[in-house]
Amino acid sequence: MAASVGEGKASVRRDGSKEEHRRQAASATRERRDRDYYGREGEEKEKGKKRWRRSNDGWAFSGGILAYAFKPQDGQMYFDGDDNWAMNGPTPQQVDLGTVALHELGHVLGLLHSSDPSAIMFPSISPGTMKGLEKDDIAGTEGQLVVMASNTIYFSAIVALLLPFYFLHAVSSRPLIPENSQFEFIKTLQDGRKGDKKAGIYQLKQYLHKFGYLNDSQYLQSTEVDDHVFDENLERAIRTYQINFNLKPTGVLDDQTVSNMMMPRCGVADIIDGRTRMKAGAAGDYHHIDYAFFDGELRWPLSKKILTWKLLPGSRQDAVDPIRDYALLSWASITPFQYQQVGEDASSDIKIGFRTRGSDPAGVMDGPNGTLAMSFPPCGGELYFDGDENWAMNGPNPDQFDLGTVALHELGHILGLKHSSDPGSVMFPGFAWGLVKGLTEDDIAGMKALYNVT
């Protein structure tokens, strides 16, 4: 999994599978590669070192390659023994071996690389990221097993050996969407379109207003508008939402749009004052997605070498470690600032606290499995987590939201980044149970551009 972005910095790493491997190379080519791989006539290359390290056959561990695997019936998978692997869950400076193993086993089972950054078969991974199987991976694996399961006894043996590990990691790390989402009502509107009239449409209009898609307050307050009618304004707002999230812009509440809307998310609007929007490519195109800034490219003055931060009174003290040791440490590696914690009574640049549905004066927090957190762009420096959420403070848990990941996202807003349309980016607005993310190329490039960091 290509090269590091910077030595000692947040980086993105790649799988070593090559084009001829991905295109299912002919048997003769595969046999030649295997022979080069193990050394001709039993001779070990680089004797005294790791047997899998090579320097002249095109498959060496170099330039940030983490691992590679062979296609079905070859049944081989190798990790770079020189890498700094996380064996017990992700850390900001280590790559999660379980996630990389899940990817490489996908190759062994017959899957090629995916262009979807959220899929386990996407070829790049950054330190601190833990991924599980997505719909694309599951559908591909099921199809591949049906096609190939009867090929040979040898392949069946490989599947029997590898599937338990493959799906054990999937169960333990695959992001889960809570069933009791605050946005559950949207499911009842599936396949809704202009002209429909039903309960829930008024709530949908309020949802889209909250996140910036329906900004006309006169329209929302007009006595001439039927709150429960799917009208042209709502269709236009949904189409804009679909464009921002790289969905087909039909204006219809199809399955993919409904699933996306039901995901618990950040409380920062995707569109502010009708001007700033997430940057998106064509529907389903993740190759031209770019980071986005707040209107006016708001940022902290470069003269501030140190940004101070504190937990507000009444905050959970177990939040300190994931905020300090994961979120702030990750951003510190690519921003021109140091981050220093101060006491509750001291003045600070960044203030972090917890609010609940009953105690939030802004009315943003809405209870469990809805709006997870809220923050403000430079130089507001305020960040609030929903105190009603079930937070994981010590690494991922399949039925909790990882506070370190959400803090990493919200601090991105505090530093000046807006939402990204890339589902692999930490600045993507949606979150799921058990999901742990680190900085991606999109996040890193955006922050460096904002602060002119080379």
Side-chain angles (χ1 to χ4, degrees):
M1 279 184 170
S4 299
V5 173
E7 188 65 23
K9 304 286 188 181
S11 59
V12 176
R13 312 296 301 280
R14 287 184 58 86
D15 167 49
S17 301
K18 289 205 168 185
E19 286 299 320
E20 65 263 28
H21 171 215
R22 292 161 57 192
R23 293 171 184 168
Q24 303 295 310
S27 176
T29 302
R30 173 174 56 79
E31 291 173 359
R32 174 182 58 75
R33 188 165 63 233
D34 288 352
R35 185 170 62 251
D36 287 347
Y37 177 78
Y38 284 109
R40 293 177 178 82
E41 298 179 355
E43 176 184 347
E44 289 187 16
K45 295 184 178 183
E46 299 185 87
K47 190 172 182 179
K49 299 183 180 180
K50 299 175 181 65
R51 287 188 62 183
W52 56 86
R53 292 184 62 83
R54 298 154 308 145
S55 58
N56 61 354
D57 60 3
W59 286 81
F61 284 112
S62 61
I65 301 300
L66 288 171
Y68 63 85
F70 292 88
K71 61 189 178 184
Q73 299 188 36
D74 286 334
Q76 301 166 47
M77 179 175 86
Y78 298 89
F79 301 94
D80 188 344
D82 290 332
D83 267 297
N84 185 16
W85 293 105
M87 301 295 190
N88 298 303
T91 70
Q93 303 301 327
Q94 293 180 302
V95 177
D96 181 54
L97 186 132
T99 296
V100 177
L102 189 58
H103 173 100
E104 300 303 333
L105 286 169
H107 287 316
V108 171
L109 293 173
L111 294 185
L112 306 182
H113 283 151
S114 169
S115 61
D116 180 353
S118 65
I120 193 66
M121 296 312 298
F122 189 71
S124 296
I125 187 171
S126 56
T129 299
M130 186 175 187
K131 296 172 75 174
L133 299 181
E134 294 295 330
K135 291 181 181 179
D136 182 61
D137 307 306
I138 294 170
T141 303
E142 290 173 345
Q144 190 70 4
L145 291 178
V146 168
V147 171
M148 305 188 69
S150 61
N151 280 6
T152 63
I153 296 176
Y154 178 65
F155 177 74
S156 298
I158 293 173
V159 172
L161 176 66
L162 296 181
L163 274 181
F165 179 83
Y166 190 78
F167 288 105
L168 176 62
H169 187 272
V171 169
S172 64
S173 67
R174 186 183 179 213
L176 300 173
I177 306 299
E179 293 182 358
N180 57 337
S181 166
Q182 293 293 330
F183 310 132
E184 187 80 15
F185 71 90
I186 301 175
K187 184 185 292 186
T188 66
L189 301 175
Q190 187 161 323
D191 297 324
R193 62 196 66 221
K194 188 170 71 172
D196 288 351
K197 182 175 182 179
K198 61 172 65 175
I201 287 180
Y202 174 72
Q203 287 176 278
L204 178 62
K205 290 177 180 179
Q206 293 300 316
Y207 172 98
L208 291 168
H209 173 64
K210 179 177 181 178
F211 298 116
Y213 295 92
L214 277 175
N215 285 304
D216 190 342
S217 57
Q218 292 183 344
Y219 160 74
L220 291 170
Q221 297 170 7
S222 174
T223 57
E224 298 179 2
V225 174
D226 191 330
D227 292 334
H228 304 294
V229 171
F230 197 130
D231 57 20
E232 185 176 349
N233 286 304
L234 181 56
E235 181 186 54
R236 186 183 305 115
I238 291 173
R239 188 179 293 116
T240 302
Y241 179 94
Q242 290 168 329
I243 291 172
N244 272 354
F245 285 88
N246 293 284
L247 304 172
K248 189 175 181 180
T250 61
V252 175
L253 288 170
D254 54 51
D255 178 67
Q256 213 170 358
T257 303
V258 168
S259 296
N260 213 77
M261 285 183 167
M262 288 177 58
M263 183 178 291
R265 56 162 292 160
C266 168
V268 175
D270 301 329
I271 300 175
I272 299 175
D273 296 330
R275 295 193 301 271
T276 306
R277 61 161 42 185
M278 297 156 63
K279 295 184 178 180
D285 180 6
Y286 298 108
H287 299 290
H288 300 93
I289 297 171
D290 206 1
Y291 48 83
F293 303 138
F294 288 97
D295 194 29
E297 297 190 9
L298 302 175
R299 62 180 180 177
W300 294 86
L302 296 177
S303 58
K304 290 185 75 69
K305 303 299 182 184
I306 297 176
L307 292 180
T308 57
W309 69 279
K310 70 177 181 181
L311 283 183
L312 294 171
S315 298
R316 291 181 56 171
Q317 293 304 307
D318 57 354
V320 170
D321 285 352
I323 292 171
R324 180 190 60 207
D325 299 337
Y326 187 74
L328 286 171
L329 182 62
S330 297
W331 286 122
S333 67
I334 60 167
T335 59
F337 307 114
Q338 297 179 35
Y339 301 89
Q340 179 180 323
Q341 185 178 6
V342 297
E344 288 184 356
D345 297 331
S347 62
S348 66
D349 299 303
I350 301 171
K351 304 168 185 63
I352 302 175
F354 286 76
R355 289 177 173 175
T356 62
R357 178 162 45 188
S359 66
D360 180 16
V364 174
M365 304 310 175
D366 50 14
N369 306 323
T371 303
L372 302 179
M374 178 69 183
S375 55
F376 297 86
C379 294
E382 294 181 56
L383 189 169
Y384 299 100
F385 298 101
D386 190 338
D388 290 327
E389 299 294 348
N390 189 10
W391 293 108
M393 300 293 189
N394 300 301
N397 188 303
D399 59 356
Q400 293 180 306
F401 295 105
D402 182 61
L403 187 128
T405 295
V406 177
L408 186 63
H409 174 99
E410 299 301 334
L411 286 165
H413 287 318
I414 283 179
L415 291 168
L417 289 185
K418 206 171 182 306
H419 285 151
S420 170
S421 299
D422 178 355
S425 166
V426 80
M427 296 312 297
F428 185 76
F431 298 91
W433 274 348
L435 177 66
V436 176
K437 282 187 175 182
L439 300 180
T440 65
E441 285 181 301
D442 186 59
D443 307 310
I444 294 167
M447 195 63 76
K448 286 186 172 182
L450 183 60
Y451 287 99
N452 298 315
V453 175
T454 56

